[in-house]
Amino acid sequence: QVQLVESGGGLVQAGGSLRLSCAASGRTFSNYDMGWFRQAPGKEREFVARIDWSGGNTFYADSVKGRVTISRDNAKNTVYLQMNSLKPEDTAVYYCAGALRGWNTYKYWGQGTQVTVSS
């Protein structure tokens, strides 16, 4: 089992920045690719970003590309999501998730952290 706990959400004005963190415990963190997803009210959960187990490869949704950076620190068992130039449409609950290396299915999910961007 892998337990994931997100933090760093909050209320920010449009154009501002937030850094989300996701702390992992349990199985070996470096065995997992990590992703961030988000779900806005009344909408389906959507992919935001993914980072492979080594941190060497990252992938982003077109909607956040250029504004968001995913990173990880395997020594701290933590994955981060730095979000800049935030827009009201970025308002959502943000979830981190873990998938075994190279797998597309995310096996472990956190409880989420709320991000609210005011206009």
Side-chain angles (χ1 to χ4, degrees):
Q1 282 283 53
V2 174
Q3 292 78 41
L4 302 173
V5 179
E6 302 95 335
S7 61
L11 174 64
V12 63
Q13 288 189 333
S17 298
L18 279 176
R19 188 196 198 201
L20 306 183
S21 299
C22 173
S25 61
R27 296 182 182 268
T28 305
F29 183 63
S30 60
N31 283 344
Y32 295 87
D33 296 350
M34 298 298 296
W36 284 96
F37 292 77
R38 67 186 182 185
Q39 188 167 18
K43 296 187 177 181
E44 294 188 352
R45 185 164 56 193
E46 65 174 358
F47 169 77
V48 176
R50 177 178 173 125
I51 188 167
D52 75 355
W53 65 274
S54 70
N57 292 289
T58 56
F59 309 90
Y60 298 95
D62 288 342
S63 58
V64 302
K65 201 171 293 184
R67 300 188 296 118
V68 165
T69 302
I70 187 171
S71 61
R72 68 189 293 161
D73 185 338
N74 285 346
K76 295 183 178 180
N77 290 353
T78 303
V79 61
Y80 305 97
L81 190 70
Q82 177 67 45
M83 302 188 293
N84 301 321
S85 302
L86 283 162
K87 305 175 182 180
E89 51 263 44
D90 294 318
T91 295
V93 178
Y94 284 71
Y95 300 89
C96 72
L100 286 171
R101 292 186 192 180
W103 285 64
N104 288 328
T105 301
Y106 289 86
K107 188 173 184 180
Y108 301 107
W109 292 84
Q111 293 300 306
T113 185
Q114 175 71 47
V115 171
T116 303
V117 184
S118 63
S119 57

